[in-house]
Every structure is written in structure tokens, then in C-alpha cells.
Amino acid sequence: MNIGIDIDDTISETFETLLPYSQKYTIEDLKRESKIDFRADLSNHFYIVYMNNWSEQEAIAFWSKYYAEILKQVNIKTFAAEVINKLKEQGHNIYLITARWDMPGDNIKEITRKWLEDKDVKYDELIINASDKTKLVEENKIDIFIDDSFNNCKSIAENTNSKVYMMTSRVNGNLNDDKVKRVFSWPEIYDLINKEDK
């Protein structure tokens, strides 16, 4: 099978690093009190912008200053590498499909490659700048897709034949769709994929 996997908040614990950096930026750079709003639109990967109520210019300045540093520092989710590597050993093709984008002066694809190598995550293809994951899922004939973004999961479930698993995170807990299977850990994902493969 072809298995498509998002990176941030799916393989990595991005939120846990992103949130304190966002508060540091709001307090130290913007010189205002940090007020995190969990009632904001949390359905896509720019959730941190809405949670902090930043203007477009403030968001651009944040990413310019901290994006590469955050991506280098994020931790990997428990059992993510172990499960992905087992799936690859079983003959599945692993496509890492991420909305991570290149920044002036920072080669985000290279930073991501190094992070994956350091964390011992095996894969067949790394696709960044994935603004339309539904299209990429179709183009790469993905059988199973795993992401934390509710918008991505819903779109892929509605517009492709792929089975979709949504990794539970702090920002998608209240978002549900009948066509999207919510998952809580990599061992659970491994179990579900093995059942699909029979």
C-alpha cells in the first residue's frame, strides 16, 4: 500500500514547541500579554496564528524569526519512527506529505530531511509545500493518509478513495467527521493498517 503521512503534530510533537515560541514572540517581540485563544479557528496548520490573534505581518515576522529553529527542535511522537519503519519493512511505500514551506535563507526540506535522519524515520518520498494534499493523495495513489489537520482529513475523505486517520492533537479535539477515523497513537495506527492490509 501507499501510505501518506503528515509530519507536524502527526509524526512530531510540534504544538508542544510551537506554543512556547509563540508566547515568547508575543511577549518579547510584540510587547504585549500572551492570550491563547482555543476558541479560534483551529482546523488548519496555521492554528498558532489564530490562537495568538496575530496580524498577517506579525505572523510573517514570527515565521521568519523562529520557523527553522522550531522545526529543528521538535520532538518525535512516541513509537512514530518504530511504526513507520515497520510499515516500510513490510513493503508499504511511505510518502511524507507536509505543508512545511521554504523560507528565505532556510532550506526547510533539508532541515526536515536531517531531522528525519536524526530521528531514524525511513521513508520513500518527502513532499514539502503541500498546499493541496487532496491533489497529492490522488496523484500518488495514496491508500491510507494520516494527518492531524481536520480540513485536510475531511477533504481527502470526501474527495478520494483513501482511508483517512486523523491523529488527535490539542487543536482538533472537538472536530469530527463520520468519514474520518480519529486515532490516538502510532501503535493504534499500526494495528489499523495491518487489519486493512489483510
Side-chain angles (χ1 to χ4, degrees), residues 68 101-113 128:
W101 65 96
D102 270 328
M103 296 284 291
D106 290 306
N107 186 331
I108 298 303
K109 190 165 191 173
E110 213 38 61
I111 289 170
T112 303
R113 274 190 208 282
I128 71 163

Side-chain angles (χ1 to χ4, degrees), residues 64 77 103-104 143 155 163 165 172 192:
S64 296
K77 284 185 177 287
M103 296 284 291
D143 300 295
S155 175
K163 181 81 176 175
Y165 299 138
N172 70 23
L192 289 167

Side-chain angles (χ1 to χ4, degrees), residues 39-87:
R39 297 165 302 164
D41 178 10
L42 307 177
S43 59
N44 71 38
H45 58 275
F46 285 115
Y47 61 79
I48 203 71
V49 174
Y50 309 124
M51 288 173 70
N52 283 280
N53 195 29
W54 292 333
S55 69
E56 184 178 346
Q57 286 306 114
E58 289 169 344
I60 290 168
F62 172 75
W63 297 124
S64 296
K65 184 169 185 177
Y66 290 117
Y67 190 46
E69 189 176 334
I70 289 166
L71 298 186
K72 290 173 186 175
Q73 289 194 21
V74 292
N75 290 320
I76 191 165
K77 284 185 177 287
T78 305
F79 301 121
E82 179 184 323
V83 168
I84 292 167
N85 294 347
K86 276 204 273 188
L87 290 170

Side-chain angles (χ1 to χ4, degrees), residues 14 20 25 30 37 40 83 98 115 118 123 127 130 148-149 158 176:
T14 307
Y25 171 71
L30 302 181
D37 183 5
V83 168
T98 176
W115 185 87
D118 290 347
Y123 58 94
I127 302 168
D148 69 294
S149 164
E158 290 176 351
N176 294 290

